[in-house]
Amino acid sequence: PACASVHMASMKQITVALPSGRGEQLIIPESSNVGDLRTLVQETFGQGFVKLVTANGVVLTDATQSLQAAGLEDGDHITALSVEPILAAAGHAFALCTRGGDRVVTWGRSAEGGDSSAVQGKLRGVQQIAATNQAFAALLEDGSIVTWGNSDLGGDSSAVQHQLKNVQQVHGADKAFAAILEDGSVVTWGHPAWGGDSSAVQHKLKNVKHLKGGYHAFVAILANGAVVTWGEPDSGGDSSQVQEQFLSL
């Protein structure tokens, strides 16, 4: 009995509830950290990615933080919120985070997007991640863009950073990025000849609703149904020969 008492004293009972109302009482060792608790919650509820929120509204974001340091006591109640994973792939690197999260995990070739340490402190409230062959671009909840990877292929957006305000979507081609702003205009950067320079069609890029990147070119569909393309002509950047066909769609 004495041994059993000591064993139970080293455990914490945490009640976890989902927004649906389903709840479970979980038993976890006191020596556990937030990451251990999150894993237990994921396994118990069959949830892929979750965000844990205490009764005081504190979001437990540091997986390495001990339960004690996180302020979790025996008998506490927390809420588990399901969050959507965001996964993006460049040619030789990957990026993974959760929507609205404040950390992006990257791996692969360091110079081609696998190392995001230089911008990790800026990645707050990530909503979307797009990729070129060797770079990534993250859209944040404040409408700004953070980029990393090969600077010549989209990893450096400093030249257009002042234009990247109120971004709604960001898309990648093989060597360039294009972003749709709130007013329907488009900002591009990356390799100039392969989609990074849209100056020749910039006057046409108004009220853009849809945008896709190909290998070395982009295509945009406007609110009036018009189709605008730019980039390497042989890769789809020149659609002049089929413009009349678009009218019959």
Side-chain angles (χ1 to χ4, degrees):
C3 291
S5 176
V6 171
H7 176 70
M8 290 303 294
S10 65
M11 307 294 285
K12 285 183 185 291
Q13 177 177 288
I14 306 292
T15 299
V16 182
L18 300 179
S20 64
R22 178 189 170 190
E24 297 284 350
Q25 291 184 341
L26 306 183
I27 304 298
I28 189 169
E30 284 188 346
S31 58
S32 301
N33 57 32
V34 171
D36 297 327
L37 177 58
R38 183 184 300 151
T39 298
L40 181 58
V41 171
Q42 290 170 334
E43 293 175 347
T44 301
F45 291 95
Q47 299 286 332
F49 291 86
V50 296
K51 177 168 62 176
L52 303 180
V53 184
T54 69
N56 296 325
V58 177
V59 180
L60 303 178
T61 58
D62 186 356
T64 64
Q65 187 178 41
S66 68
L67 298 183
Q68 181 178 8
L72 291 177
E73 303 292 342
D74 184 51
D76 276 358
H77 292 247
I78 65 174
T79 300
L81 303 175
S82 179
V83 290
E84 178 186 353
I86 297 175
L87 179 62
H92 299 281
F94 292 96
L96 175 64
C97 70
T98 56
R99 189 173 304 281
D102 294 337
R103 176 173 172 76
V104 176
V105 178
T106 55
W107 67 101
R109 291 185 182 176
S110 299
E112 298 179 13
D115 180 4
S116 57
S117 58
V119 298
Q120 196 63 236
K122 300 178 181 179
L123 295 169
R124 296 288 181 264
V126 178
Q127 301 298 308
Q128 180 195 353
I129 299 179
T132 63
N133 187 48
Q134 296 183 18
F136 292 99
L139 170 59
L140 309 187
E141 60 187 358
D142 64 0
S144 64
I145 292 287
V146 175
T147 56
W148 68 96
N150 188 318
S151 58
D152 294 328
L153 303 183
D156 180 3
S157 56
S158 58
V160 295
Q161 198 61 50
H162 63 288
Q163 301 177 52
L164 293 172
K165 310 293 183 184
N166 301 313
V167 176
Q168 302 298 297
Q169 302 174 33
V170 60
H171 299 271
D174 190 64
K175 295 177 174 61
F177 287 107
I180 302 178
L181 307 189
E182 188 175 35
D183 63 2
S185 62
V186 171
V187 177
T188 57
W189 68 99
H191 196 292
W194 294 331
D197 180 3
S198 56
S199 58
V201 296
Q202 198 63 51
H203 62 287
K204 299 180 181 180
L205 294 172
K206 309 294 183 183
N207 298 314
V208 174
K209 296 299 182 183
H210 303 282
L211 181 66
K212 286 291 183 181
Y215 183 53
H216 285 161
F218 287 97
V219 56
I221 300 178
L222 313 189
N224 63 4
V227 177
V228 179
T229 57
W230 68 96
E232 185 180 56
D234 291 342
S235 295
D238 180 3
S239 57
S240 58
Q241 294 186 0
V242 294
Q243 280 294 325
E244 289 187 3
Q245 296 182 44
F246 291 147
L247 301 177
S248 64
L249 297 178

